[in-house]
Amino acid sequence: MKRYFFIFLLLIFVIALSSKCNGSSDEIVKTKCYNCLNIYEKCETIENDIYIETNQTLICNDKLGCISAYSQPSMHPNRTSECLSQGQYGDQCEGGRGGFCGYQMTCDYPFDTKFPPMCIGYKTLQPGEKCVLNGECQSLVCDEEKLVCIENEYSCSVNTYWNGKACVNILNTGDSCTSDSQCSIFNTCNNGICIEKYSLNEDSICISDLACNISNSLICIKGKCQVFKNSNTTNCKEDGCLKDYEYCNCYSGKCEQSKIFNDECKDIQYQLDACVYGRCVYTDGYFSKNSCVMKNCGRLVCQHHSKCTNGPCGNNNSSFCISNTLTPNNSDEFSENNSSNPTNGSSLNSANSSHYSFSLLLFLLVPTVMLLFLHF
């Protein structure tokens, strides 16, 4: 009986390893296509449910948000939302009214209750920065007396990571690791080692796209760096698109590439990392105008997302440089008088949680399997 139990645990380990080795999805999936709307067009009504039934998603064009006419739209029998200009950082807002605050923003009350709710960047600020409510902080905790974001397991200061007990110095190239957050901003954790980002060539073993050389259009597929290839279809609603890399265009029927892989994008990312290094942390909401990254390196953020990301209905190019952020000028500083509108973009830390979960699984399973093996 014990022998069967050992075999069962071994199978679990093998399945976990093989599933994670497919670090970036190469799965072709059927997805809703995007039907683009202009200003004042209805984006959520009872009548528009027919679009949902026909596998279409209504989405407002760039610089617009799907803003509800009611404070609790889902509860209203005649719910109606339309495409309107979105609120900017600091604008007064209505808590239950969806869509008013822009991309990666939320409507919340500051600690000082004499002030009304306002649009703020969600999880924007790093430890030590001034805050007025919890939601602004990456740690989700703003010290109510000092009004600064604190360190915790969700957020550490520059060049440090959480080791389970405290924030400690990041690891060097070649050191053993379990997640990207432990490595330098220039590195990624690949197969348990901190290596330089985008340094692996075709057919190299990888965990995520960050390890593969995007200069050669390489992404991580089935645990190996392979050349990205667009889906060849004119009926993407039926044929599907490559998950995480493409979206389905209702009008053309083609799969549109949502992430761009080339030498220019690699170079811009290197420049951005160099600008951020030693002064800022990539928080989840780093594209809000009051984040350290946008204040210091905003031009490069906007340059990267205008050239290297793509999204439906124009929600791609000036990605984090639209209505709720500031428009960059020719320097890395931002003009307080300019504004633009955010859209879909890719977070640089998106792989961290999955890397950490997998590493934790290995940490628990490997010793168990070895001990059982020695015991039997």
Side-chain angles (χ1 to χ4, degrees), residues 104 122-124 138 281-287 347 349-350:
Q104 276 292 359
Y122 181 64
K123 299 179 77 171
T124 294
Q138 175 71 20
V281 173
Y282 281 120
T283 57
D284 288 353
Y286 70 86
F287 21 75
S347 171
N349 297 321
S350 61

Side-chain angles (χ1 to χ4, degrees), residues 59-315:
I59 185 171
C60 298
N61 281 312
D62 202 11
K63 303 183 181 180
L64 303 175
C66 186
I67 300 175
S68 171
Y70 308 101
S71 60
Q72 297 293 338
S74 61
M75 304 293 289
H76 200 280
N78 298 314
R79 72 176 191 273
T80 301
S81 300
E82 59 184 345
C83 296
L84 300 170
S85 297
Q86 292 179 303
Q88 298 183 33
Y89 179 88
D91 283 355
Q92 185 174 332
C93 53
E94 188 177 349
R97 190 179 176 203
F100 177 74
C101 297
Y103 181 70
Q104 276 292 359
M105 299 185 75
T106 186
C107 181
D108 207 347
Y109 284 90
F111 289 133
D112 191 339
T113 54
K114 71 173 179 283
F115 292 104
M118 63 180 183
C119 293
I120 59 104
Y122 181 64
K123 299 179 77 171
T124 294
L125 305 178
Q126 60 195 47
E129 290 193 293
K130 292 287 185 181
C131 50
V132 296
L133 48 87
N134 290 324
E136 282 190 294
C137 302
Q138 175 71 20
S139 62
L140 293 178
V141 181
C142 176
D143 187 307
E144 213 166 327
E145 293 183 1
K146 299 179 181 178
L147 293 180
V148 295
C149 296
I150 69 166
E151 279 190 341
N152 60 18
E153 64 268 34
Y154 306 110
S155 179
C156 287
S157 298
V158 174
N159 290 339
T160 64
Y161 75 94
W162 184 260
N163 70 351
K165 296 180 180 180
C167 292
V168 298
N169 290 336
I170 57 172
L171 304 174
N172 297 315
T173 303
D175 288 344
S176 298
C177 57
T178 57
S179 75
D180 281 351
S181 63
Q182 299 174 348
C183 302
S184 160
I185 196 173
F186 303 108
N187 293 344
T188 182
C189 185
N190 190 69
N191 293 316
I193 301 293
C194 290
I195 68 168
E196 185 182 344
K197 283 181 183 177
Y198 313 126
S199 60
L200 299 184
N201 294 319
E202 191 170 1
D203 294 328
S204 299
I205 296 175
C206 57
I207 292 294
S208 78
D209 293 339
L210 289 175
C212 301
N213 187 354
I214 60 174
S215 292
N216 299 327
S217 298
L218 298 179
I219 60 175
C220 190
I221 299 178
K222 294 183 178 179
K224 287 189 176 182
C225 295
Q226 300 181 40
V227 176
F228 170 81
K229 296 179 180 178
N230 286 102
S231 300
N232 185 19
T233 179
T234 56
N235 189 9
C236 53
K237 286 173 63 178
E238 291 298 323
D239 297 335
C241 296
L242 187 61
K243 185 180 179 182
D244 299 329
Y245 298 103
E246 298 174 321
Y247 66 90
C248 181
N249 187 317
C250 281
Y251 305 103
S252 67
K254 295 181 180 180
C255 294
E256 305 286 352
Q257 189 174 343
S258 57
K259 300 176 184 178
I260 312 302
F261 307 101
N262 57 34
D263 194 55
E264 182 181 25
C265 291
K266 177 180 176 180
D267 183 61
I268 296 172
Q269 185 63 64
Y270 276 156
Q271 292 182 54
L272 176 57
D273 288 343
C275 179
V276 171
Y277 179 74
R279 62 171 70 163
C280 302
V281 173
Y282 281 120
T283 57
D284 288 353
Y286 70 86
F287 21 75
S288 183
K289 77 173 184 180
N290 64 325
S291 77
C292 176
V293 173
M294 289 300 278
K295 287 176 181 176
N296 291 280
C297 314
R299 176 181 60 84
L300 290 166
V301 173
C302 296
Q303 188 178 354
H304 181 271
H305 287 282
S306 66
K307 292 178 178 292
C308 306
T309 65
N310 190 26
C313 305
N315 288 278

